[in-house]
Amino acid sequence: MKDQRLVYLDRVSKVYGTAAHPVYAMREVTLDVQPGEFFSLLGSSGSGKTTTLRLIGGFELPEAGHVYLGGKDVTQLPAYRRDVHTVFQSYALFPHMTVVENIAYPLKLAKEPQSAIAERVQETLKMFRIPDLGDRRPAQLSGGQQQRVALARALINRPKVLLLDEPLSALDAKIREEVRQELRALQQETNLTFIYVTHDQEEAMALSDRIAVMHNGQVKQVGTPREIYNHPADLFVAQFVGKANFLQGAIADLSDTTATLQTQGASFTVHRQPNAAIPLQKGTDATLMIRPERLQLNPDTALPNRLSGQLTHLTYIGQLLEATIETPLGTLRVTQLGHTALQPGEVELGWNPDDCQIVDYSATR
Ligand code: ADP
Ligand code: MG
């Protein structure tokens, strides 16, 4: 992908509150969004997602840093002079206007000719699969339909960037998934750039080309859903995204490509991530992470990493098996595809050095 940086935040900080009681909503946030990307800001409540979006939209001024749109420094530029459009959590449709009037509103503001407006509105209604709802008012629409209208209005004058702040959070689960898929399809059809805020990791995973994981006003990691899941940058990201098992130990041995974690009575080999910025040293305490589906139950081949334990719980969720294993090093969770004949009792666990990762360390010894 050619680096074009449609949106670029350069060490942006935003502080609320007073000098005596500052609230650091953004701490030196640096990120770039490429044209045509579906980019998500993922984090729990209060992590700084909305503030980041508002900074891009031009609704806030940063205390430090710069915001660039299309290579131009827009840090001081007000919202209405930026080529972005924001859809907030509440739909904010005009209640006294029909669907058609709501959708046409941005074009009217832009003083487009009447005939062009009518044509664009019809096209848009079709694109959003709501061609028959044009004459209704917002109160006569379901939540999902209202959100479609809000999106249609946001997209009608083709902003370079669409900012979406938890747009699906008011919808119930089934509709949410429906609108989610439509949103993704829409983004791919239009090839517009979406910046999407959510606290829902599944939603971020399903929708995004890339995700920025935020915590305490900081960006912890930026990557594709796969990168973030398979190679979390630190313990926080490993815990926040997906399920994970953790083993505590100390680094007993190190080479350029592998590390050996020594725990009580066992040692495990890890392939080191070439890009991991972790300055491991012999003797440091470290935390090893293994995703539940990377653990193999009673493996038929000899795997370098092995641990035995007691299988205490088995749950079948469709084709997926979830097992709880009590080991001397703690409780581990395993998920596997398919139904092997498993029973509670003694089991062997095994995993490969590629299937685990050091996510935390501290040189306290
Ligand atoms: P998120 O959208 O991830 O939930 P926000 O960006 O809304 O997080 O908020 C980040 C932090 O900044 C929170 O601690 C929040 O309380 C604080 N904050 C946000 N907006 C304001 C404001 N207008 N005044 C004071 N504090 C604010
Ligand atoms: Mg928010």
Side-chain angles (χ1 to χ4, degrees), residues 304-327:
N305 296 319
R306 271 170 301 166
L307 186 59
S308 49
Q310 289 289 322
L311 194 161
T312 55
H313 283 286
L314 274 174
T315 315
Y316 292 99
I317 307 165
Q319 280 296 96
L320 210 61
L321 163 74
E322 284 189 353
T324 307
I325 321 284
E326 302 295 340
T327 78

mmCIF file with all atom_site columns, all heavy atoms in Angstrom, residues 304-327:
data_model
loop_
_atom_site.group_PDB
_atom_site.id
_atom_site.type_symbol
_atom_site.label_atom_id
_atom_site.label_alt_id
_atom_site.label_comp_id
_atom_site.label_asym_id
_atom_site.label_entity_id
_atom_site.label_seq_id
_atom_site.pdbx_PDB_ins_code
_atom_site.Cartn_x
_atom_site.Cartn_y
_atom_site.Cartn_z
_atom_site.occupancy
_atom_site.B_iso_or_equiv
_atom_site.pdbx_formal_charge
_atom_site.auth_seq_id
_atom_site.auth_comp_id
_atom_site.auth_asym_id
_atom_site.auth_atom_id
_atom_site.pdbx_PDB_model_num
ATOM 1   N N   . PRO A 1 304 ? 7.397   -28.989 21.302 1.00 0.00 ? 304 PRO A N   1
ATOM 2   C CA  . PRO A 1 304 ? 8.465   -28.508 22.199 1.00 0.00 ? 304 PRO A CA  1
ATOM 3   C C   . PRO A 1 304 ? 7.931   -28.037 23.550 1.00 0.00 ? 304 PRO A C   1
ATOM 4   O O   . PRO A 1 304 ? 8.610   -28.193 24.562 1.00 0.00 ? 304 PRO A O   1
ATOM 5   C CB  . PRO A 1 304 ? 9.070   -27.333 21.439 1.00 0.00 ? 304 PRO A CB  1
ATOM 6   C CG  . PRO A 1 304 ? 8.637   -27.489 20.037 1.00 0.00 ? 304 PRO A CG  1
ATOM 7   C CD  . PRO A 1 304 ? 7.372   -28.257 20.033 1.00 0.00 ? 304 PRO A CD  1
ATOM 8   N N   . ASN A 1 305 ? 6.757   -27.458 23.568 1.00 0.00 ? 305 ASN A N   1
ATOM 9   C CA  . ASN A 1 305 ? 6.213   -26.947 24.829 1.00 0.00 ? 305 ASN A CA  1
ATOM 10  C C   . ASN A 1 305 ? 5.100   -27.867 25.312 1.00 0.00 ? 305 ASN A C   1
ATOM 11  O O   . ASN A 1 305 ? 4.125   -28.090 24.594 1.00 0.00 ? 305 ASN A O   1
ATOM 12  C CB  . ASN A 1 305 ? 5.678   -25.534 24.629 1.00 0.00 ? 305 ASN A CB  1
ATOM 13  C CG  . ASN A 1 305 ? 6.776   -24.560 24.265 1.00 0.00 ? 305 ASN A CG  1
ATOM 14  O OD1 . ASN A 1 305 ? 7.869   -24.618 24.828 1.00 0.00 ? 305 ASN A OD1 1
ATOM 15  N ND2 . ASN A 1 305 ? 6.507   -23.691 23.302 1.00 0.00 ? 305 ASN A ND2 1
ATOM 16  N N   . ARG A 1 306 ? 5.269   -28.369 26.525 1.00 0.00 ? 306 ARG A N   1
ATOM 17  C CA  . ARG A 1 306 ? 4.270   -29.306 27.059 1.00 0.00 ? 306 ARG A CA  1
ATOM 18  C C   . ARG A 1 306 ? 3.954   -29.009 28.509 1.00 0.00 ? 306 ARG A C   1
ATOM 19  O O   . ARG A 1 306 ? 4.805   -28.518 29.259 1.00 0.00 ? 306 ARG A O   1
ATOM 20  C CB  . ARG A 1 306 ? 4.775   -30.744 26.929 1.00 0.00 ? 306 ARG A CB  1
ATOM 21  C CG  . ARG A 1 306 ? 4.399   -31.368 25.599 1.00 0.00 ? 306 ARG A CG  1
ATOM 22  C CD  . ARG A 1 306 ? 5.096   -32.665 25.398 1.00 0.00 ? 306 ARG A CD  1
ATOM 23  N NE  . ARG A 1 306 ? 6.545   -32.492 25.446 1.00 0.00 ? 306 ARG A NE  1
ATOM 24  C CZ  . ARG A 1 306 ? 7.402   -33.484 25.562 1.00 0.00 ? 306 ARG A CZ  1
ATOM 25  N NH1 . ARG A 1 306 ? 6.976   -34.721 25.705 1.00 0.00 ? 306 ARG A NH1 1
ATOM 26  N NH2 . ARG A 1 306 ? 8.701   -33.248 25.563 1.00 0.00 ? 306 ARG A NH2 1
ATOM 27  N N   . LEU A 1 307 ? 2.725   -29.321 28.871 1.00 0.00 ? 307 LEU A N   1
ATOM 28  C CA  . LEU A 1 307 ? 2.274   -29.071 30.233 1.00 0.00 ? 307 LEU A CA  1
ATOM 29  C C   . LEU A 1 307 ? 1.130   -30.041 30.484 1.00 0.00 ? 307 LEU A C   1
ATOM 30  O O   . LEU A 1 307 ? 0.281   -30.227 29.613 1.00 0.00 ? 307 LEU A O   1
ATOM 31  C CB  . LEU A 1 307 ? 1.778   -27.628 30.320 1.00 0.00 ? 307 LEU A CB  1
ATOM 32  C CG  . LEU A 1 307 ? 1.382   -27.039 31.669 1.00 0.00 ? 307 LEU A CG  1
ATOM 33  C CD1 . LEU A 1 307 ? 2.563   -27.079 32.644 1.00 0.00 ? 307 LEU A CD1 1
ATOM 34  C CD2 . LEU A 1 307 ? 0.925   -25.590 31.469 1.00 0.00 ? 307 LEU A CD2 1
ATOM 35  N N   . SER A 1 308 ? 1.111   -30.690 31.646 1.00 0.00 ? 308 SER A N   1
ATOM 36  C CA  . SER A 1 308 ? -0.048  -31.553 31.895 1.00 0.00 ? 308 SER A CA  1
ATOM 37  C C   . SER A 1 308 ? -0.946  -30.930 32.951 1.00 0.00 ? 308 SER A C   1
ATOM 38  O O   . SER A 1 308 ? -0.527  -30.063 33.723 1.00 0.00 ? 308 SER A O   1
ATOM 39  C CB  . SER A 1 308 ? 0.380   -32.962 32.277 1.00 0.00 ? 308 SER A CB  1
ATOM 40  O OG  . SER A 1 308 ? 1.355   -32.900 33.273 1.00 0.00 ? 308 SER A OG  1
ATOM 41  N N   . GLY A 1 309 ? -2.200  -31.364 32.948 1.00 0.00 ? 309 GLY A N   1
ATOM 42  C CA  . GLY A 1 309 ? -3.159  -30.798 33.887 1.00 0.00 ? 309 GLY A CA  1
ATOM 43  C C   . GLY A 1 309 ? -4.421  -31.626 33.941 1.00 0.00 ? 309 GLY A C   1
ATOM 44  O O   . GLY A 1 309 ? -4.512  -32.684 33.321 1.00 0.00 ? 309 GLY A O   1
ATOM 45  N N   . GLN A 1 310 ? -5.376  -31.121 34.686 1.00 0.00 ? 310 GLN A N   1
ATOM 46  C CA  . GLN A 1 310 ? -6.665  -31.790 34.858 1.00 0.00 ? 310 GLN A CA  1
ATOM 47  C C   . GLN A 1 310 ? -7.725  -31.037 34.069 1.00 0.00 ? 310 GLN A C   1
ATOM 48  O O   . GLN A 1 310 ? -7.936  -29.844 34.308 1.00 0.00 ? 310 GLN A O   1
ATOM 49  C CB  . GLN A 1 310 ? -7.068  -31.767 36.347 1.00 0.00 ? 310 GLN A CB  1
ATOM 50  C CG  . GLN A 1 310 ? -6.241  -32.675 37.234 1.00 0.00 ? 310 GLN A CG  1
ATOM 51  C CD  . GLN A 1 310 ? -6.554  -34.143 36.968 1.00 0.00 ? 310 GLN A CD  1
ATOM 52  O OE1 . GLN A 1 310 ? -7.697  -34.509 36.723 1.00 0.00 ? 310 GLN A OE1 1
ATOM 53  N NE2 . GLN A 1 310 ? -5.521  -34.980 37.010 1.00 0.00 ? 310 GLN A NE2 1
ATOM 54  N N   . LEU A 1 311 ? -8.371  -31.752 33.165 1.00 0.00 ? 311 LEU A N   1
ATOM 55  C CA  . LEU A 1 311 ? -9.485  -31.139 32.457 1.00 0.00 ? 311 LEU A CA  1
ATOM 56  C C   . LEU A 1 311 ? -10.688 -31.152 33.406 1.00 0.00 ? 311 LEU A C   1
ATOM 57  O O   . LEU A 1 311 ? -11.096 -32.204 33.887 1.00 0.00 ? 311 LEU A O   1
ATOM 58  C CB  . LEU A 1 311 ? -9.772  -31.934 31.184 1.00 0.00 ? 311 LEU A CB  1
ATOM 59  C CG  . LEU A 1 311 ? -10.671 -31.293 30.130 1.00 0.00 ? 311 LEU A CG  1
ATOM 60  C CD1 . LEU A 1 311 ? -10.467 -31.985 28.796 1.00 0.00 ? 311 LEU A CD1 1
ATOM 61  C CD2 . LEU A 1 311 ? -12.118 -31.303 30.499 1.00 0.00 ? 311 LEU A CD2 1
ATOM 62  N N   . THR A 1 312 ? -11.235 -29.980 33.695 1.00 0.00 ? 312 THR A N   1
ATOM 63  C CA  . THR A 1 312 ? -12.329 -29.915 34.670 1.00 0.00 ? 312 THR A CA  1
ATOM 64  C C   . THR A 1 312 ? -13.671 -29.563 34.040 1.00 0.00 ? 312 THR A C   1
ATOM 65  O O   . THR A 1 312 ? -14.711 -29.928 34.563 1.00 0.00 ? 312 THR A O   1
ATOM 66  C CB  . THR A 1 312 ? -12.021 -28.884 35.775 1.00 0.00 ? 312 THR A CB  1
ATOM 67  O OG1 . THR A 1 312 ? -11.735 -27.642 35.168 1.00 0.00 ? 312 THR A OG1 1
ATOM 68  C CG2 . THR A 1 312 ? -10.834 -29.328 36.624 1.00 0.00 ? 312 THR A CG2 1
ATOM 69  N N   . HIS A 1 313 ? -13.642 -28.816 32.941 1.00 0.00 ? 313 HIS A N   1
ATOM 70  C CA  . HIS A 1 313 ? -14.915 -28.403 32.322 1.00 0.00 ? 313 HIS A CA  1
ATOM 71  C C   . HIS A 1 313 ? -14.826 -28.534 30.819 1.00 0.00 ? 313 HIS A C   1
ATOM 72  O O   . HIS A 1 313 ? -13.802 -28.197 30.232 1.00 0.00 ? 313 HIS A O   1
ATOM 73  C CB  . HIS A 1 313 ? -15.205 -26.934 32.614 1.00 0.00 ? 313 HIS A CB  1
ATOM 74  C CG  . HIS A 1 313 ? -15.705 -26.698 33.993 1.00 0.00 ? 313 HIS A CG  1
ATOM 75  N ND1 . HIS A 1 313 ? -16.973 -27.034 34.387 1.00 0.00 ? 313 HIS A ND1 1
ATOM 76  C CD2 . HIS A 1 313 ? -15.093 -26.172 35.068 1.00 0.00 ? 313 HIS A CD2 1
ATOM 77  C CE1 . HIS A 1 313 ? -17.115 -26.716 35.652 1.00 0.00 ? 313 HIS A CE1 1
ATOM 78  N NE2 . HIS A 1 313 ? -15.990 -26.194 36.095 1.00 0.00 ? 313 HIS A NE2 1
ATOM 79  N N   . LEU A 1 314 ? -15.914 -28.974 30.222 1.00 0.00 ? 314 LEU A N   1
ATOM 80  C CA  . LEU A 1 314 ? -16.004 -29.063 28.770 1.00 0.00 ? 314 LEU A CA  1
ATOM 81  C C   . LEU A 1 314 ? -17.294 -28.397 28.324 1.00 0.00 ? 314 LEU A C   1
ATOM 82  O O   . LEU A 1 314 ? -18.342 -28.664 28.886 1.00 0.00 ? 314 LEU A O   1
ATOM 83  C CB  . LEU A 1 314 ? -16.097 -30.529 28.344 1.00 0.00 ? 314 LEU A CB  1
ATOM 84  C CG  . LEU A 1 314 ? -14.821 -31.319 28.140 1.00 0.00 ? 314 LEU A CG  1
ATOM 85  C CD1 . LEU A 1 314 ? -15.172 -32.768 27.864 1.00 0.00 ? 314 LEU A CD1 1
ATOM 86  C CD2 . LEU A 1 314 ? -14.017 -30.747 26.987 1.00 0.00 ? 314 LEU A CD2 1
ATOM 87  N N   . THR A 1 315 ? -17.191 -27.522 27.342 1.00 0.00 ? 315 THR A N   1
ATOM 88  C CA  . THR A 1 315 ? -18.410 -26.914 26.805 1.00 0.00 ? 315 THR A CA  1
ATOM 89  C C   . THR A 1 315 ? -18.354 -27.025 25.291 1.00 0.00 ? 315 THR A C   1
ATOM 90  O O   . THR A 1 315 ? -17.322 -26.732 24.685 1.00 0.00 ? 315 THR A O   1
ATOM 91  C CB  . THR A 1 315 ? -18.482 -25.414 27.178 1.00 0.00 ? 315 THR A CB  1
ATOM 92  O OG1 . THR A 1 315 ? -18.129 -25.277 28.551 1.00 0.00 ? 315 THR A OG1 1
ATOM 93  C CG2 . THR A 1 315 ? -19.860 -24.853 26.941 1.00 0.00 ? 315 THR A CG2 1
ATOM 94  N N   . TYR A 1 316 ? -19.432 -27.472 24.698 1.00 0.00 ? 316 TYR A N   1
ATOM 95  C CA  . TYR A 1 316 ? -19.506 -27.523 23.241 1.00 0.00 ? 316 TYR A CA  1
ATOM 96  C C   . TYR A 1 316 ? -20.364 -26.376 22.751 1.00 0.00 ? 316 TYR A C   1
ATOM 97  O O   . TYR A 1 316 ? -21.493 -26.210 23.172 1.00 0.00 ? 316 TYR A O   1
ATOM 98  C CB  . TYR A 1 316 ? -20.119 -28.838 22.775 1.00 0.00 ? 316 TYR A CB  1
ATOM 99  C CG  . TYR A 1 316 ? -19.221 -30.012 23.049 1.00 0.00 ? 316 TYR A CG  1
ATOM 100 C CD1 . TYR A 1 316 ? -19.428 -30.816 24.160 1.00 0.00 ? 316 TYR A CD1 1
ATOM 101 C CD2 . TYR A 1 316 ? -18.151 -30.291 22.211 1.00 0.00 ? 316 TYR A CD2 1
ATOM 102 C CE1 . TYR A 1 316 ? -18.593 -31.880 24.424 1.00 0.00 ? 316 TYR A CE1 1
ATOM 103 C CE2 . TYR A 1 316 ? -17.307 -31.342 22.466 1.00 0.00 ? 316 TYR A CE2 1
ATOM 104 C CZ  . TYR A 1 316 ? -17.527 -32.141 23.573 1.00 0.00 ? 316 TYR A CZ  1
ATOM 105 O OH  . TYR A 1 316 ? -16.699 -33.183 23.829 1.00 0.00 ? 316 TYR A OH  1
ATOM 106 N N   . ILE A 1 317 ? -19.788 -25.549 21.879 1.00 0.00 ? 317 ILE A N   1
ATOM 107 C CA  . ILE A 1 317 ? -20.556 -24.455 21.279 1.00 0.00 ? 317 ILE A CA  1
ATOM 108 C C   . ILE A 1 317 ? -20.537 -24.718 19.790 1.00 0.00 ? 317 ILE A C   1
ATOM 109 O O   . ILE A 1 317 ? -19.600 -24.366 19.095 1.00 0.00 ? 317 ILE A O   1
ATOM 110 C CB  . ILE A 1 317 ? -19.902 -23.089 21.594 1.00 0.00 ? 317 ILE A CB  1
ATOM 111 C CG1 . ILE A 1 317 ? -19.682 -22.959 23.096 1.00 0.00 ? 317 ILE A CG1 1
ATOM 112 C CG2 . ILE A 1 317 ? -20.755 -21.953 21.060 1.00 0.00 ? 317 ILE A CG2 1
ATOM 113 C CD1 . ILE A 1 317 ? -18.745 -21.839 23.473 1.00 0.00 ? 317 ILE A CD1 1
ATOM 114 N N   . GLY A 1 318 ? -21.592 -25.393 19.319 1.00 0.00 ? 318 GLY A N   1
ATOM 115 C CA  . GLY A 1 318 ? -21.600 -25.803 17.921 1.00 0.00 ? 318 GLY A CA  1
ATOM 116 C C   . GLY A 1 318 ? -20.418 -26.713 17.659 1.00 0.00 ? 318 GLY A C   1
ATOM 117 O O   . GLY A 1 318 ? -20.220 -27.700 18.350 1.00 0.00 ? 318 GLY A O   1
ATOM 118 N N   . GLN A 1 319 ? -19.613 -26.334 16.681 1.00 0.00 ? 319 GLN A N   1
ATOM 119 C CA  . GLN A 1 319 ? -18.447 -27.156 16.325 1.00 0.00 ? 319 GLN A CA  1
ATOM 120 C C   . GLN A 1 319 ? -17.255 -26.905 17.249 1.00 0.00 ? 319 GLN A C   1
ATOM 121 O O   . GLN A 1 319 ? -16.253 -27.584 17.166 1.00 0.00 ? 319 GLN A O   1
ATOM 122 C CB  . GLN A 1 319 ? -18.017 -26.854 14.893 1.00 0.00 ? 319 GLN A CB  1
ATOM 123 C CG  . GLN A 1 319 ? -18.840 -27.547 13.853 1.00 0.00 ? 319 GLN A CG  1
ATOM 124 C CD  . GLN A 1 319 ? -18.694 -29.059 13.936 1.00 0.00 ? 319 GLN A CD  1
ATOM 125 O OE1 . GLN A 1 319 ? -19.502 -29.751 14.555 1.00 0.00 ? 319 GLN A OE1 1
ATOM 126 N NE2 . GLN A 1 319 ? -17.634 -29.567 13.325 1.00 0.00 ? 319 GLN A NE2 1
ATOM 127 N N   . LEU A 1 320 ? -17.406 -25.931 18.109 1.00 0.00 ? 320 LEU A N   1
ATOM 128 C CA  . LEU A 1 320 ? -16.264 -25.502 18.913 1.00 0.00 ? 320 LEU A CA  1
ATOM 129 C C   . LEU A 1 320 ? -16.313 -26.125 20.309 1.00 0.00 ? 320 LEU A C   1
ATOM 130 O O   . LEU A 1 320 ? -17.353 -26.186 20.940 1.00 0.00 ? 320 LEU A O   1
ATOM 131 C CB  . LEU A 1 320 ? -16.304 -23.979 19.032 1.00 0.00 ? 320 LEU A CB  1
ATOM 132 C CG  . LEU A 1 320 ? -14.986 -23.255 19.167 1.00 0.00 ? 320 LEU A CG  1
ATOM 133 C CD1 . LEU A 1 320 ? -14.106 -23.502 17.953 1.00 0.00 ? 320 LEU A CD1 1
ATOM 134 C CD2 . LEU A 1 320 ? -15.234 -21.772 19.340 1.00 0.00 ? 320 LEU A CD2 1
ATOM 135 N N   . LEU A 1 321 ? -15.157 -26.584 20.742 1.00 0.00 ? 321 LEU A N   1
ATOM 136 C CA  . LEU A 1 321 ? -15.043 -27.158 22.077 1.00 0.00 ? 321 LEU A CA  1
ATOM 137 C C   . LEU A 1 321 ? -14.242 -26.213 22.955 1.00 0.00 ? 321 LEU A C   1
ATOM 138 O O   . LEU A 1 321 ? -13.171 -25.747 22.558 1.00 0.00 ? 321 LEU A O   1
ATOM 139 C CB  . LEU A 1 321 ? -14.310 -28.495 21.959 1.00 0.00 ? 321 LEU A CB  1
ATOM 140 C CG  . LEU A 1 321 ? -13.725 -29.075 23.243 1.00 0.00 ? 321 LEU A CG  1
ATOM 141 C CD1 . LEU A 1 321 ? -14.830 -29.625 24.108 1.00 0.00 ? 321 LEU A CD1 1
ATOM 142 C CD2 . LEU A 1 321 ? -12.717 -30.139 22.908 1.00 0.00 ? 321 LEU A CD2 1
ATOM 143 N N   . GLU A 1 322 ? -14.767 -25.903 24.114 1.00 0.00 ? 322 GLU A N   1
ATOM 144 C CA  . GLU A 1 322 ? -14.020 -25.089 25.070 1.00 0.00 ? 322 GLU A CA  1
ATOM 145 C C   . GLU A 1 322 ? -13.732 -25.924 26.303 1.00 0.00 ? 322 GLU A C   1
ATOM 146 O O   . GLU A 1 322 ? -14.657 -26.465 26.907 1.00 0.00 ? 322 GLU A O   1
ATOM 147 C CB  . GLU A 1 322 ? -14.836 -23.864 25.494 1.00 0.00 ? 322 GLU A CB  1
ATOM 148 C CG  . GLU A 1 322 ? -14.871 -22.787 24.435 1.00 0.00 ? 322 GLU A CG  1
ATOM 149 C CD  . GLU A 1 322 ? -15.500 -21.483 24.935 1.00 0.00 ? 322 GLU A CD  1
ATOM 150 O OE1 . GLU A 1 322 ? -16.029 -21.474 26.072 1.00 0.00 ? 322 GLU A OE1 1
ATOM 151 O OE2 . GLU A 1 322 ? -15.449 -20.512 24.190 1.00 0.00 ? 322 GLU A OE2 1
ATOM 152 N N   . ALA A 1 323 ? -12.462 -26.023 26.668 1.00 0.00 ? 323 ALA A N   1
ATOM 153 C CA  . ALA A 1 323 ? -12.087 -26.837 27.826 1.00 0.00 ? 323 ALA A CA  1
ATOM 154 C C   . ALA A 1 323 ? -11.337 -25.990 28.838 1.00 0.00 ? 323 ALA A C   1
ATOM 155 O O   . ALA A 1 323 ? -10.603 -25.074 28.481 1.00 0.00 ? 323 ALA A O   1
ATOM 156 C CB  . ALA A 1 323 ? -11.217 -28.010 27.369 1.00 0.00 ? 323 ALA A CB  1
ATOM 157 N N   . THR A 1 324 ? -11.557 -26.282 30.104 1.00 0.00 ? 324 THR A N   1
ATOM 158 C CA  . THR A 1 324 ? -10.827 -25.627 31.181 1.00 0.00 ? 324 THR A CA  1
ATOM 159 C C   . THR A 1 324 ? -9.860  -26.645 31.778 1.00 0.00 ? 324 THR A C   1
ATOM 160 O O   . THR A 1 324 ? -10.267 -27.751 32.123 1.00 0.00 ? 324 THR A O   1
ATOM 161 C CB  . THR A 1 324 ? -11.809 -25.156 32.276 1.00 0.00 ? 324 THR A CB  1
ATOM 162 O OG1 . THR A 1 324 ? -12.811 -24.370 31.648 1.00 0.00 ? 324 THR A OG1 1
ATOM 163 C CG2 . THR A 1 324 ? -11.091 -24.343 33.342 1.00 0.00 ? 324 THR A CG2 1
ATOM 164 N N   . ILE A 1 325 ? -8.597  -26.256 31.846 1.00 0.00 ? 325 ILE A N   1
ATOM 165 C CA  . ILE A 1 325 ? -7.576  -27.176 32.335 1.00 0.00 ? 325 ILE A CA  1
ATOM 166 C C   . ILE A 1 325 ? -6.888  -26.560 33.552 1.00 0.00 ? 325 ILE A C   1
ATOM 167 O O   . ILE A 1 325 ? -6.377  -25.440 33.463 1.00 0.00 ? 325 ILE A O   1
ATOM 168 C CB  . ILE A 1 325 ? -6.478  -27.445 31.263 1.00 0.00 ? 325 ILE A CB  1
ATOM 169 C CG1 . ILE A 1 325 ? -7.067  -27.557 29.855 1.00 0.00 ? 325 ILE A CG1 1
ATOM 170 C CG2 . ILE A 1 325 ? -5.624  -28.636 31.640 1.00 0.00 ? 325 ILE A CG2 1
ATOM 171 C CD1 . ILE A 1 325 ? -7.756  -28.824 29.534 1.00 0.00 ? 325 ILE A CD1 1
ATOM 172 N N   . GLU A 1 326 ? -6.890  -27.285 34.666 1.00 0.00 ? 326 GLU A N   1
ATOM 173 C CA  . GLU A 1 326 ? -6.146  -26.831 35.848 1.00 0.00 ? 326 GLU A CA  1
ATOM 174 C C   . GLU A 1 326 ? -4.734  -27.388 35.760 1.00 0.00 ? 326 GLU A C   1
ATOM 175 O O   . GLU A 1 326 ? -4.554  -28.600 35.674 1.00 0.00 ? 326 GLU A O   1
ATOM 176 C CB  . GLU A 1 326 ? -6.814  -27.339 37.135 1.00 0.00 ? 326 GLU A CB  1
ATOM 177 C CG  . GLU A 1 326 ? -8.259  -26.915 37.313 1.00 0.00 ? 326 GLU A CG  1
ATOM 178 C CD  . GLU A 1 326 ? -8.421  -25.412 37.482 1.00 0.00 ? 326 GLU A CD  1
ATOM 179 O OE1 . GLU A 1 326 ? -7.430  -24.736 37.840 1.00 0.00 ? 326 GLU A OE1 1
ATOM 180 O OE2 . GLU A 1 326 ? -9.538  -24.909 37.240 1.00 0.00 ? 326 GLU A OE2 1
ATOM 181 N N   . THR A 1 327 ? -3.742  -26.491 35.751 1.00 0.00 ? 327 THR A N   1
ATOM 182 C CA  . THR A 1 327 ? -2.349  -26.937 35.694 1.00 0.00 ? 327 THR A CA  1
ATOM 183 C C   . THR A 1 327 ? -1.615  -26.368 36.911 1.00 0.00 ? 327 THR A C   1
ATOM 184 O O   . THR A 1 327 ? -2.130  -25.457 37.570 1.00 0.00 ? 327 THR A O   1
ATOM 185 C CB  . THR A 1 327 ? -1.640  -26.430 34.417 1.00 0.00 ? 327 THR A CB  1
ATOM 186 O OG1 . THR A 1 327 ? -1.285  -25.051 34.623 1.00 0.00 ? 327 THR A OG1 1
ATOM 187 C CG2 . THR A 1 327 ? -2.517  -26.553 33.185 1.00 0.00 ? 327 THR A CG2 1
#
